[in-house]
Amino acid sequence: MDDSKIKRYGDELYEAWLARRTVPPLLEREPDITIEDAYKIQSRMMERRIQAGETVVGKKIGVTSKPVQDFLGVFQPDFGVLTSGMVYREGETIDLGKLIQPKAEAELAFVLKEDLVGPGITAMDVIRATDYVAPCFEIVDSRITDWKIKIQDTVADNASCGVYVIGETRGDPRKLDITLAGMVLEKNGELHSTGVGAAVQGSPANAVAWLANTLGSLGIPFRAGEVILSGSQSALVPVVDGDELVCTVGGLGSCRVKFAGRSAV
Amino acid sequence: MSNELTLSREDIVRLCERVEGAQRRAYAIPKLTDEYPAMTVADGYAVQAELRRRYLAQGHKLVGWKAGLTSKAKMQQMGVNVPSIGFLTDRMARPENSAVKTSDMVHPRVECEVAFVTRKTLKGPGCTRQDVLDATDYVLPAIEIIDSRFSGFKFDLPSVIADNGSSARYVGGGRARYPGDVDLRTLGVVLEKNGEMVAMGASAAVLGHPADAIALLVDILAEQGEELPAGSFVMSGGITEAIAVKPGDSVVARFQELGSVSVRFVE
């Protein structure tokens, strides 16, 4: 795909994000888009957000579970960029009015204390370089109409990232079994679904190692202090005004989030 | 659904013999409600009680109980709001890491569960989570091998209760823990078959907390005029969906804080 088209699609997605509206799937219009093209489109979209004043604060990993990979017909995860405008603190209410068609997922977040520069990074390096882990919610959102995404669409659209909130509970991955830690998701006081760390690439640390290696091969920096959302351990939960979600990671603790307002769709 | 006893003593014995034959010789039968459409849950438990009486008379030892239909999804599917229970005997036990024969089962499936071993008598009605935790000696991980004797695993609640909750075999093992030393609500579980993860979840999938399933089990026993004696082995219900197994399959259930349990299957 030539640079002018990459720029055009990146700008289109940025403008859709800014105006809280959707665009038709890119792949329907450009059947030959590769995943590499899609990352370049993502890069353009996020360049626009950074030009508008946001800063890069981390990365998210998506498409980490086997059911989602099977659904999208891929065998590896994808990633997107986390920016300062996506951050909510625990206790703040998430404003659905700033989102289009949001869904929540419960994850384990990592914060690094050392740079992780691939290639050659393993799960053992990830544990070594991790400052702490925390329970978190990612509120995914899609700028693509009706979530009709193929892998190229979601990659181009910054891995369908919306906003996120990291719980205040922090854990040391040397003291916690991040692979077998259970994930319990409650919605409005009732059990919604359960999961486990291993649902993410066998272990969330494997997903972070994949990210470090992928970023390394693309020459994208991955620095100490960055937040990494390692991939969903729960079902996707559509959220509306008044909803409250709690996720609890076994042996670690909980993250609680409330929603208010109306999303665009 | 009414819960009155509708079957005559003769019918109960007849249905019990039918279930016992299917269990012993490993063949599938139509669900009992095909012939007795008015059969109730109480009828199902009457057949199960007769089955238990017969096995114990033959020298089998009662080891404990199991809760079944403990996930919201399974209860909705069956149109019920209480779990079902079944009894466990020494003949159903298999050691950890052993080879379990499939030729004496119809269509076995495996589930991973948190199991409890009690040190005090538990008595309903009104048994609570705290009562269960107070009466628990230790918890351990377990694999339950269920095997419905009904064709195609298709049944309704009275039929599955008469078939002893599809109980077939069980394997306890892993690491024993005091219930107060672990958070029994948030234990993560991964079920692997032949090295591949085939099911996963966390223990809250069992009625919100596995000890709540034991409390309900104790209340169901109370309805039958029974209590749960000290020293019982009780399985709290599948955390994951049940996975079909065949000869050659090897299964490992990995639990947060409780270690793992493995078993393999032979002809």
Side-chain angles (χ1 to χ4, degrees):
Chain A
M1 181 174 269
D2 65 52
D3 287 353
S4 67
K5 271 191 174 173
I6 282 168
K7 184 165 176 292
R8 181 149 56 85
Y9 285 120
D11 289 343
E12 182 183 324
L13 285 166
Y14 168 74
E15 279 149 24
W17 168 79
L18 195 63
R20 322 288 176 225
R21 59 178 165 74
T22 60
V23 300
L26 307 191
L27 205 63
E28 281 181 8
R29 295 179 274 162
E30 297 283 346
D32 298 329
I33 298 185
T34 64
I35 292 179
E36 278 185 340
D37 295 331
Y39 276 114
K40 288 181 189 165
I41 295 169
Q42 177 194 113
S43 179
R44 173 61 187 172
M45 179 195 188
M46 298 315 290
E47 187 187 339
R48 292 290 305 273
R49 285 182 66 162
I50 289 155
Q51 282 170 0
E54 294 186 63
T55 53
V56 174
V57 295
K59 307 285 185 294
K60 69 151 281 184
I61 312 172
V63 195
T64 49
S65 74
K66 188 152 190 304
V68 174
Q69 289 187 357
D70 288 347
F71 175 74
L72 290 172
V74 294
F75 303 98
Q76 61 172 14
D78 69 2
F79 72 87
V81 176
L82 301 178
T83 57
S84 48
M86 301 174 183
V87 185
Y88 280 86
R89 287 204 314 275
E90 191 173 13
E92 288 179 314
T93 299
I94 291 184
D95 180 5
L96 293 173
K98 292 184 174 168
L99 297 166
I100 304 168
Q101 37 189 351
K103 299 171 199 268
E105 41 186 50
E107 309 192 6
L108 190 68
F110 288 69
V111 176
L112 299 183
K113 61 181 177 187
E114 288 174 30
D115 296 354
L116 265 183
V117 182
I121 297 296
T122 66
M124 288 73 87
D125 296 311
V126 172
I127 304 295
R128 182 180 52 73
T130 296
D131 185 6
Y132 62 89
V133 293
C136 73
F137 278 107
E138 179 184 0
I139 317 306
V140 294
D141 198 11
S142 182
R143 273 59 63 174
I144 304 293
T145 307
D146 297 332
W147 275 97
K148 274 170 43 190
I149 53 169
K150 297 278 191 280
I151 185 69
Q152 291 91 333
D153 295 302
T154 183
V155 167
D157 185 27
N158 197 32
S160 307
C161 196
V163 297
Y164 70 92
V165 52
I166 310 268
E168 286 177 2
T169 311
R170 294 179 176 188
D172 180 342
R174 294 161 194 79
K175 293 181 180 170
L176 176 71
D177 185 347
I178 58 171
T179 299
L180 290 177
M183 174 67 86
V184 177
L185 177 58
E186 291 159 292
K187 181 179 181 181
N188 303 327
E190 279 197 20
L191 179 69
H192 180 277
S193 53
T194 71
V196 63
V200 176
Q201 299 288 105
S203 168
N206 291 338
V208 178
W210 171 86
L211 177 67
N213 290 325
T214 303
L215 294 173
S217 70
L218 296 170
I220 300 172
F222 194 28
R223 299 290 184 219
E226 284 201 42
V227 171
I228 304 119
L229 309 185
S230 62
S232 181
Q233 300 184 16
S234 72
L236 279 170
V237 192
V239 283
V240 297
D241 188 24
D243 280 344
E244 184 177 26
L245 301 182
V246 181
C247 72
T248 307
V249 175
L252 176 58
S254 301
C255 178
R256 181 180 296 268
V257 61
K258 274 187 182 167
F259 299 88
R262 273 190 65 155
S263 56
V265 174
Chain B
M1 192 190 301
S2 146
N3 199 20
E4 300 296 308
L5 198 61
T6 70
L7 296 179
S8 67
R9 179 70 197 155
E10 263 175 22
D11 287 336
I12 290 168
V13 171
R14 219 173 124 247
L15 289 178
C16 179
E17 283 170 353
R18 192 183 297 176
V19 169
E20 188 186 354
Q23 291 193 355
R24 285 183 170 282
R25 291 186 288 283
Y27 56 80
I29 55 175
K31 62 184 193 297
L32 307 183
T33 44
D34 287 358
E35 191 185 344
Y36 293 88
M39 200 177 154
T40 63
V41 166
D43 292 326
Y45 279 118
V47 176
Q48 186 190 108
E50 175 62 14
L51 188 68
R52 173 159 51 110
R53 193 194 61 76
R54 283 170 173 252
Y55 282 146
L56 299 189
Q58 292 158 24
H60 301 204
K61 182 177 167 248
L62 184 68
V63 167
W65 294 85
K66 61 157 269 180
L69 306 176
T70 46
S71 74
K72 216 164 141 188
K74 273 191 184 172
M75 278 195 272
Q76 275 170 358
Q77 189 190 336
M78 302 293 297
V80 297
N81 51 20
V82 287
S84 64
I85 68 170
F87 63 87
L88 301 173
T89 71
D90 60 330
R91 307 291 173 97
M92 303 176 188
R94 295 292 180 274
E96 191 170 10
N97 200 32
S98 64
V100 171
K101 278 171 69 173
T102 58
S103 54
D104 53 7
M105 289 185 272
V106 184
H107 35 211
R109 297 179 182 181
V110 293
E111 298 179 342
C112 10
E113 313 197 3
V114 176
F116 292 65
V117 173
T118 60
R119 59 185 173 85
K120 286 184 199 164
T121 305
L122 275 166
K123 208 172 167 177
C127 184
T128 66
R129 180 189 301 183
Q130 196 57 48
D131 293 337
V132 172
L133 296 176
D134 290 345
T136 298
D137 183 358
Y138 64 96
V139 294
L140 72 161
I143 292 175
E144 182 179 11
I145 302 157
I146 57 169
D147 183 32
S148 175
R149 267 56 63 163
F150 300 117
S151 312
F153 245 95
K154 288 201 173 65
F155 50 70
D156 45 34
L157 193 58
S159 297
V160 69
I161 289 169
D163 186 28
N164 196 22
S166 307
S167 302
R169 311 282 181 266
Y170 59 86
V171 183
R175 179 180 175 194
R177 299 293 296 260
Y178 288 114
D181 287 351
V182 290
D183 180 356
L184 286 174
R185 194 178 76 92
T186 55
L187 297 173
V189 173
V190 176
L191 181 62
E192 294 181 355
K193 182 165 91 171
N194 305 324
E196 204 176 318
M197 294 191 291
V198 288
M200 51 197 107
S203 49
V206 177
L207 291 173
H209 193 294
D212 289 355
I214 307 294
L216 282 169
L217 181 147
V218 170
D219 285 353
I220 294 171
L221 281 177
E223 285 169 22
Q224 300 171 36
E226 305 210 35
E227 54 188 38
L228 186 70
S232 294
F233 169 80
V234 195
M235 289 194 290
S236 59
I239 295 166
T240 62
E241 65 264 40
I243 301 294
V245 288
K246 57 180 192 323
D249 284 341
S250 178
V251 169
V252 182
R254 299 162 63 199
F255 288 70
Q256 182 183 15
E257 309 286 356
L258 303 180
S260 61
V261 187
S262 64
V263 65
R264 62 207 152 85
F265 294 91
V266 295
E267 184 61 41

